[in-house]
């Protein structure tokens, strides 16, 4: 299987994130990079597909903010990473702000996703790796893997959060449709709900999104991912903390049946290894050996498949978990 990665993705180097009342070391840190690269073998760098595929999903304002925020942050005398601290809870009116703090809050939903000097470069090239994997699959490869880092599934059309800034799955889905694919399925198997993906694709009749994730009444992102949001092209399958493979497998079968019913021509998988028992910010009990059967069941759909990397923060097990998942295909 061809694997894609670009060294410029290392440029994103957050040191801290703010939650539970204090700063913690960033869970989506550069240590993840070598853990995964060391386990998956040779990778290829993407070509530059430009910003047009990004603009099918994201607003110009959002891309501009990601590109400029850190420079503006420094320009007003701040140091370190740029953090939002206030959010438009009363509504996201189309107000225009100069003030960087207002714009950061307007385009984000948490304080765990700072913008540093290398963030824009890293997330731009992260999306390009996704597009490279898609291009390989559209050209005839049955399966390809993009090590998208920063990850993507929490990012909406014009907001970042949960470590993602750009939604690679949505960008790839739109690019596939633009290239002539008729229907795209997206399966999200990260521990957390892919709220950004759901938000972007809701209501579509050509993109079908199924997500298996921790119950948002106990887990991030809390405000999205509940079972009663399922309708039309969206299927949410929340599971309780403590779920192991015996509880996970039948729900995966349900998600795959639902996707198959919608007859996609292409599958995009948002793979998060944070369902592993050792993940420091997650509470499922999957073991490394469970990822191969998980992948085999997904592969049994027989669809051309683009695999994108989302979460996974247990660095000691991360490489093995990713390699095990890919081996299942
Ligand atoms: Zn996650």
């Amino acid at each position: 299987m061809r694997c894609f990665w670009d060294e410029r993705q290392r440029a994103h180097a957050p040191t801290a994130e703010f939650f539970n009342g204090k700063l913690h070391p960033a869970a989506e840190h550069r240590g993840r990079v070598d853990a995964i690269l060391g386990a998956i073998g040779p990778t290829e760098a993407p070509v530059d597909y430009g910003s047009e595929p990004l603009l099918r999903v994201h607003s110009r304002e959002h891309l501009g903010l990601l590109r400029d925020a850190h420079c503006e942050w420094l320009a007003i005398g701040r140091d370190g990473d740029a953090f939002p601290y206030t959010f438009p809870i009363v509504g996201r009116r189309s107000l225009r702000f100069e003030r960087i703090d207002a714009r950061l809050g307007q385009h984000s939903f948490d304080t765990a996703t700072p913008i540093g000097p290398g963030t824009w470069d890293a997330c731009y090239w992260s999306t390009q790796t996704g597009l490279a994997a898609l291009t390989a699959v559209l050209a005839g490869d049955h399966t390809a893997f993009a090590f998208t880092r920063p990850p993507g599934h929490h990012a909406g059309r014009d907001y970042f959060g949960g470590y993602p800034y750009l939604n690679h799955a949505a960008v790839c889905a739109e690019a596939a449709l633009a290239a002539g694919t008729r229907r795209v399925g997206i399966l999200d198997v990260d521990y957390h709900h892919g709220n950004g993906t759901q938000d972007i694709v809701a209501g579509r009749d050509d993109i079908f999104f199924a997500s298996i994730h921790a119950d948002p009444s106990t887990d991030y992102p809390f405000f999205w991912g509940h079972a009663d949001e399922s309708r039309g092209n969206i299927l949410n399958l929340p599971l309780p903390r403590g779920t192991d493979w015996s509880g996970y497998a039948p729900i995966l079968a349900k998600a795959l049946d639902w996707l198959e019913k919608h007859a996609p021509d292409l599958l995009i998988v948002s793979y998060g290894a944070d369902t592993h028992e050792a993940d420091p910010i997650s509470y499922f009990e999957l073991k490394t050996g469970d990822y191969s059967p998980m992948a085999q069941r997904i592969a049994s759909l027989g669809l051309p498949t683009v695999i994108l990397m989302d979460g996974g923060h247990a660095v000691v097990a991360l490489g093995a978990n990713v390699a095990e998942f890919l081996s299942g295909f």
Side-chain angles (χ1 to χ4, degrees):
M1 185 191 307
R2 291 171 74 186
C3 296
F4 294 90
W5 160 258
D6 191 291
E7 279 297 316
R8 281 166 281 195
Q9 293 171 248
R10 286 185 198 267
H12 178 59
T15 54
E17 57 183 281
F18 187 84
F19 65 93
N20 295 355
K22 60 179 181 180
L23 280 171
H24 296 260
E28 203 293 285
H29 57 80
R30 285 196 284 193
R32 298 178 69 240
V33 172
D34 292 318
I36 292 178
L37 291 181
I40 63 174
T43 57
E44 299 170 52
V47 300
D48 188 354
Y49 298 91
S51 54
E52 190 190 333
L54 280 64
L55 285 165
R56 289 195 192 101
V57 168
H58 296 288
S59 69
R60 275 187 197 283
E61 292 72 23
H62 185 65
L63 300 185
L65 177 72
L66 295 177
R67 189 186 59 225
D68 301 336
H70 194 256
C71 285
E72 294 181 32
W73 184 259
L74 298 180
I76 57 170
R78 308 263 177 79
D79 59 11
D81 290 343
F83 274 89
Y85 74 93
T86 181
F87 304 93
I89 190 71
V90 293
R92 300 172 76 243
R93 292 197 286 149
S94 55
L95 299 169
R96 295 265 167 198
F97 292 100
E98 290 295 319
R99 182 83 187 171
I100 186 62
D101 302 295
R103 289 167 57 220
L104 283 167
Q106 200 174 28
H107 286 268
S108 66
F109 65 94
D110 72 15
T111 54
T113 316
I115 298 179
T119 299
W120 166 248
D121 236 19
C123 54
Y124 179 86
W125 287 102
S126 185
T127 304
Q128 301 297 330
T129 64
L131 290 166
L134 172 70
T135 302
V137 168
L138 292 179
D141 283 21
H142 193 65
T143 314
F145 173 65
F147 179 11
T148 39
R149 185 265 165 191
H153 74 151
H154 294 302
R157 199 171 289 286
D158 65 351
Y159 57 83
F160 60 89
Y163 314 147
Y165 304 83
L166 297 173
N167 194 301
H168 319 304
V171 169
C172 285
E174 290 288 7
L177 294 169
T181 303
R182 289 181 315 114
R183 293 154 80 90
V184 178
I186 302 176
L187 174 66
D188 191 318
V189 291
D190 186 276
Y191 178 80
H192 304 95
H193 179 246
N195 59 292
T197 313
Q198 170 176 304
D199 211 4
I200 292 167
V201 309
R204 296 284 294 259
D205 61 5
D206 48 6
I207 304 176
F208 301 89
F209 176 70
S211 181
I212 305 168
H213 50 268
D215 188 339
S217 47
T218 56
D219 279 76
Y220 187 95
F222 304 116
F223 312 109
W224 298 272
H226 299 269
D228 66 2
E229 294 161 28
S230 301
R231 60 177 63 80
N233 67 327
I234 304 294
L235 178 65
N236 280 331
L237 297 165
L239 290 170
R241 288 185 175 195
T243 294
D244 63 8
W245 178 242
S246 68
Y248 195 97
I251 299 304
L252 176 62
K254 202 168 164 180
L256 295 173
D257 283 350
W258 182 85
L259 283 167
E260 195 165 32
K261 199 181 77 189
H262 290 288
D265 310 301
L266 174 84
L267 182 67
I268 296 170
V269 178
S270 289
Y271 170 60
D274 49 3
T275 48
H276 188 260
E277 59 184 349
D279 198 87
I281 59 170
S282 309
Y283 304 92
F284 281 172
E285 299 290 338
L286 297 194
K287 301 184 187 321
T288 300
D290 296 329
Y291 291 114
S292 176
M294 181 195 286
Q296 285 166 20
R297 284 169 203 210
I298 297 168
S300 73
L301 288 180
L303 292 168
T305 301
V306 177
I307 304 161
L308 306 177
M309 191 71 211
D310 263 294
H313 320 94
V315 171
V316 287
L318 185 56
N321 291 340
V322 175
E324 186 77 14
F325 186 72
L326 298 184
S327 78
F329 284 89

